[in-house]
């Protein structure tokens, strides 16, 4: 069968045995244990799993193998053009597994900021016994030492949408493996292994799930690296639930459609935002100023469906989010519906303030994940909320905070938790 195009792959990956099985949808297997009819075969199977093999004659136990999960892993490997992929219970579990597996090489990690707040925290905290050196994309080789086990980057990066040239990092890393968190790009817009990365990671909770109802992570890589990740997964137990794998596989055929449609709308919204007087700066990979290295068209086939932008004033953030009616203020991204979130107060709250500022995550920055709604409806909602937020900001009354302190805590931005604005007039008509 020819499965060269991404659309064809998305529809057919992981399904090539369907006609042999006589099914038209992936079987969902929920068994946690498997009858042992032949003890020798079972013992041999255990040995295979201990060696990190993807499957064996007897699955033995669901922490070692699950056919529904394995089927989705095969599909993701196909679409990332990787030898293998290994699924986990979340994106963070996937990242943890790569860090643990890398410890056989050393305990030093070189990473490029910004990263997703949780990934930044996992590295900064040293929780897994690793040290991190944060490096500029042009200074990777200087940051690498004898103990360096891995180079970590995200492109487009969460939440600033900074783009990193994977080939350049790979070249500087030499024989140190490079992990690319490609969650924002999806396998539809970017395939990092093609540029020499050893690992591509997705928080499958985002676009791959696509409907806001699955938490999962996946790493596509070589069979050798995959074997180590499976060993870590057996040892730590961060397995993907088979029903989640079923849903992920169910959503895969529409992944290209969803990504392309949301991207189209994002392109339009990004240019409208640029021209809006209340928006200070717009970060969008599709705009030339945001892509000095010409990554889009070279490393990525399109700019993606996320747009980040800065409001004129940090005090406008809360009223703006509160005034939105169609767009949902919520963390996460890549869903059918449009989501917006406040990185400095939510996803990247755990990153210390100085590092946040350095990484371009200001107290005025918002991250919009464009969904599948009609562009004009989205624009109307954004525009109306911007007007309301500015009107509130322009009222002469002093701001009142929910904690009654009336003053901002020194050095802290008005976090949504700490000081909630009380000044929200009920918006009864769009203006
Ligand atoms: C959400 C996210 C993660 C973490 O994934 P979870 O599935 O929430 O554990 C990692 N990287 C990026 C870029 C993300 O957006």
């Amino acid at each position: 069968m020819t499965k060269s195009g991404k659309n064809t792959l998305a529809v057919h990956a992981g399904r090539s045995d369907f006609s042999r099985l006589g099914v038209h949808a992936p079987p969902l297997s929920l068994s946690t244990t498997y009858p042992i009819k032949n003890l020798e075969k079972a013992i041999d199977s255990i040995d295979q799993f201990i060696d990190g093999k993807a499957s064996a004659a007897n699955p033995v136990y669901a922490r070692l193998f699950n056919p529904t999960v394995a089927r989705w892993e095969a599909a993701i490997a196909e679409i990332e053009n990787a030898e293998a992929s290994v699924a986990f219970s979340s994106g963070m579990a996937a990242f943890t597994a790569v860090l643990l597996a890398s410890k056989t090489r050393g305990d030093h990690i070189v990473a490029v900021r910004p990263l997703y707040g949780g990934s930044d925290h996992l590295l900064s905290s040293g929780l897994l016994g690793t040290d991190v050196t944060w490096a500029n994309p042009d200074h990777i080789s200087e940051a690498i030492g004898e103990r360096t086990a891995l180079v970590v980057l995200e492109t487009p990066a969460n939440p600033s949408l900074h783009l990193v040239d994977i080939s350049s990092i790979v070249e500087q890393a030499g024989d140190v493996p490079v992990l690319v968190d490609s969650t924002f790009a999806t396998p539809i817009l970017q395939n990092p292994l093609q540029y020499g990365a050893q690992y591509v990671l997705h928080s499958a909770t985002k676009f791959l799930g696509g409907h806001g109802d699955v938490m999962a992570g996946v790493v596509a890589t070589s069979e050798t690296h995959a074997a180590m990740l499976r060993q870590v997964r057996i040892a730590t137990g961060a397995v993907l639930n088979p029903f989640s794998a079923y849903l992920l596989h169910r959503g895969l055929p529409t992944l290209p459609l969803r990504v392309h449609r949301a991207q189209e709308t994002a392109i339009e919204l990004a240019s409208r935002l640029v021209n809006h007087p209340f928006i200070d700066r717009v970060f969008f990979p599709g705009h030339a100023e945001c892509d000095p290295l010409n990554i889009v068209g070279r490393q990525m086939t399109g700019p993606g469906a996320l747009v980040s932008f800065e409001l004129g004033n940090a005090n406008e953030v809360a009223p703006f989010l509160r005034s939105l009616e169609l767009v949902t203020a919520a963390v996460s991204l890549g869903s059918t519906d449009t989501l917006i979130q406040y990185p400095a107060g939510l996803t990247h709250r755990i990153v210390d303030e100085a590092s946040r500022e350095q990484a371009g995550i200001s107290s005025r920055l918002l991250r919009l994940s464009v969904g599948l709604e009609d562009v004009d409806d989205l624009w109307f909602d954004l525009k109306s909320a911007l007007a309301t937020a500015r009107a509130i900001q322009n009222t002469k009354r002093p701001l009142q905070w929910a904690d009654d302190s009336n003053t901002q805590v020194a050095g802290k931005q008005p976090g949504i938790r700490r000081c909630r604005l009380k000044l929200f007039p009920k918006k009864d008509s769009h203006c």
Side-chain angles (χ1 to χ4, degrees):
M1 201 196 308
T2 7
K3 289 193 288 185
S4 47
K6 285 268 170 80
N7 294 291
T8 310
L9 264 178
V11 173
H12 290 282
R15 296 169 194 255
S16 55
D17 57 349
F18 277 13
S19 69
R20 183 174 58 77
L21 293 175
V23 298
H24 186 239
L28 170 56
S29 177
L30 297 172
S31 276
T32 51
T33 192
Y34 293 85
I36 290 161
K37 290 197 180 131
N38 178 328
L39 185 59
E40 269 169 37
K41 245 190 196 168
I43 292 170
D44 182 58
S45 296
I46 288 279
D47 287 343
Q48 306 267 321
F49 288 125
I50 289 172
D51 284 345
K53 293 283 183 329
S55 63
N58 189 327
V60 184
Y61 186 55
R63 182 155 41 75
L64 314 184
F65 180 84
N66 175 277
T68 309
V69 173
R71 182 180 286 287
W72 179 67
E73 288 174 332
I76 293 299
E78 270 193 74
I79 207 156
E80 277 292 8
N81 204 7
E83 285 175 13
S85 97
V86 186
F88 295 89
S89 53
S90 69
M92 289 312 301
F95 187 41
T96 298
V98 177
L99 290 177
L100 290 175
S102 299
K103 290 189 78 173
T104 54
R105 272 189 80 103
D107 55 9
H108 178 242
I109 311 292
V110 172
V112 180
R113 267 183 170 138
L115 293 179
Y116 169 67
S119 310
D120 189 305
H121 176 64
L122 191 57
L123 293 174
S124 304
S125 67
L127 182 68
L128 299 174
T130 54
D131 289 330
V132 63
T133 300
W134 299 103
N136 186 294
D138 299 329
H139 294 87
I140 299 298
S141 32
E142 293 96 306
I144 287 176
E146 286 203 345
R147 297 185 298 118
T148 308
L150 188 68
V151 177
V152 176
L153 68 102
E154 269 179 34
T155 182
N158 187 350
S160 63
L161 307 178
H162 278 108
L163 301 172
V164 182
D165 186 333
I166 299 168
S167 305
S168 154
I169 305 287
V170 165
E171 197 183 311
Q172 296 177 66
D175 61 4
V176 177
V178 172
L179 176 145
V180 176
D181 184 330
S182 193
T183 299
F184 279 28
T186 80
I188 304 307
L189 302 180
Q190 175 175 279
N191 299 110
L193 302 185
Q194 188 183 330
Y195 304 100
Q198 271 76 20
Y199 299 98
V200 49
L201 183 146
H202 293 281
S203 166
T205 314
K206 316 296 167 53
F207 288 98
L208 295 179
H211 297 74
D213 52 8
V214 174
M215 179 149 269
V218 67
V219 180
T221 184
S222 66
E223 179 52 35
T224 314
H225 287 307
M228 293 180 68
L229 295 177
R230 291 185 200 110
Q231 288 170 308
V232 171
R233 185 175 60 180
I234 289 172
T236 59
V239 290
L240 178 61
N241 177 288
F243 186 59
S244 295
Y246 176 87
L247 287 175
L248 286 159
H249 209 160
R250 190 182 204 270
L252 191 57
T254 58
L255 180 67
L257 279 178
R258 287 185 278 112
V259 168
H260 285 131
R261 170 59 195 270
Q263 173 176 268
E264 213 175 285
T265 309
I267 292 169
E268 179 59 30
L269 287 178
S271 62
R272 293 191 194 182
L273 285 165
V274 165
N275 293 315
H276 194 286
F278 300 168
I279 303 289
D280 254 18
R281 298 199 317 178
V282 175
F283 303 90
F284 183 60
H287 293 166
E289 324 80 76
C290 301
D291 185 15
L293 303 173
N294 293 317
I295 300 283
V296 178
R298 186 161 59 91
Q299 176 179 296
M300 279 179 91
T301 59
L306 283 116
V307 185
S308 292
F309 56 91
E310 279 183 344
L311 298 181
N313 188 313
N315 288 335
E316 288 175 350
V317 168
F320 172 66
L321 294 180
R322 176 79 173 254
S323 305
L324 290 164
E325 293 181 347
L326 183 63
V327 175
T328 302
V331 299
S332 199
L333 58 111
S335 194
T336 50
D337 59 327
T338 299
L339 303 175
I340 193 163
Q341 70 104 2
Y342 178 52
L346 300 168
T347 52
H348 292 71
R349 182 73 171 170
I350 201 158
V351 180
D352 71 86
E353 201 170 339
S355 313
R356 268 204 314 259
E357 290 284 342
Q358 259 176 19
I361 307 164
S362 78
S363 57
R364 299 183 288 140
L365 184 75
L366 292 164
R367 189 197 72 195
L368 182 74
S369 166
V370 178
L372 305 179
E373 301 93 335
D374 292 297
V375 64
D376 287 333
D377 292 333
L378 290 171
W379 180 240
F380 186 78
D381 195 37
L382 291 167
K383 204 173 56 173
S384 308
L386 283 169
T388 308
R390 180 55 60 94
I392 292 169
Q393 177 61 22
N394 283 344
T395 56
K396 295 287 181 281
R397 288 164 58 200
L399 296 173
Q400 295 173 1
W401 306 107
D403 65 0
D404 282 328
S405 69
N406 266 347
T407 46
Q408 248 174 264
V409 182
K412 293 275 182 190
Q413 289 307 328
I416 280 163
R417 187 168 37 114
R418 182 173 287 103
C419 6
R420 201 175 309 122
L421 277 169
K422 276 183 180 168
L423 253 179
F424 300 114
K426 181 87 194 76
K427 206 174 66 155
D428 36 37
S429 68
H430 294 297
C431 46

